[in-house]
Amino acid sequence: MGTDTVQVLTNATLKAARALGLDEQELATAVGISVKQLAELDCHASKFQPGTETGLRCMLLIRLHAALASQVGQNQDHVDRWLRSHNKAIGEIPLVAISTQPGLINVVAYLEQLHEGR
């Protein structure tokens, strides 16, 4: 993978996390790394790598952000409420669900199905 691809994935992931209102612990958990590893991103000692499990989870987080924005817009209150409230269709709080790869996949699939059904 080229440096540009790595940098794009890293920047897009961090941008999506900010837009979703995720704190460091929530982002680290969602992409399957430690807070220490996440801090290394800020120091530019490390980047998210496409083709890895973490890279896959980063791409899913970016898709989650895009799909959620299509449903609730960019209103941070709506984003926070959706992520942090129990969702009957998902069966739990979305923020809790995205702490595992299967849960992240499920939340993204749910939001993308909603978007396609519009």
Side-chain angles (χ1 to χ4, degrees):
M1 291 289 147
T3 304
D4 291 343
T5 304
V6 170
Q7 191 63 48
V8 168
L9 179 61
T10 300
N11 291 344
T13 301
L14 296 175
K15 181 179 177 181
R18 279 190 301 275
L20 291 168
L22 301 181
D23 65 25
E24 288 180 348
Q25 181 62 60
E26 292 163 341
L27 172 57
T29 300
V31 297
I33 62 174
S34 70
V35 173
K36 182 181 180 211
Q37 290 169 305
L38 183 61
E40 291 173 0
L41 289 170
D42 289 336
C43 300
H44 305 291
S46 139
K47 303 280 184 238
F48 292 127
Q49 299 290 324
T52 64
E53 182 180 334
T54 298
L56 171 65
R57 288 172 76 160
C58 289
M59 288 185 279
L60 287 165
L61 191 69
I62 294 163
R63 286 173 53 193
L64 184 153
H65 168 250
L68 183 57
S70 76
Q71 294 297 313
V72 301
Q74 299 296 327
N75 182 306
Q76 195 62 48
D77 289 337
H78 293 145
V79 170
D80 288 342
R81 193 173 314 120
W82 192 89
L83 275 175
R84 298 171 192 284
S85 299
H86 188 271
N87 183 295
K88 284 201 265 186
I90 294 170
E92 64 185 315
I93 297 169
L95 185 61
V96 173
I98 69 170
S99 67
T100 67
Q101 186 170 345
L104 182 55
I105 291 168
N106 185 43
V107 171
V108 170
Y110 169 73
L111 285 168
E112 289 178 345
Q113 285 175 346
L114 284 177
H115 180 71
E116 290 172 7
R118 287 183 122 184

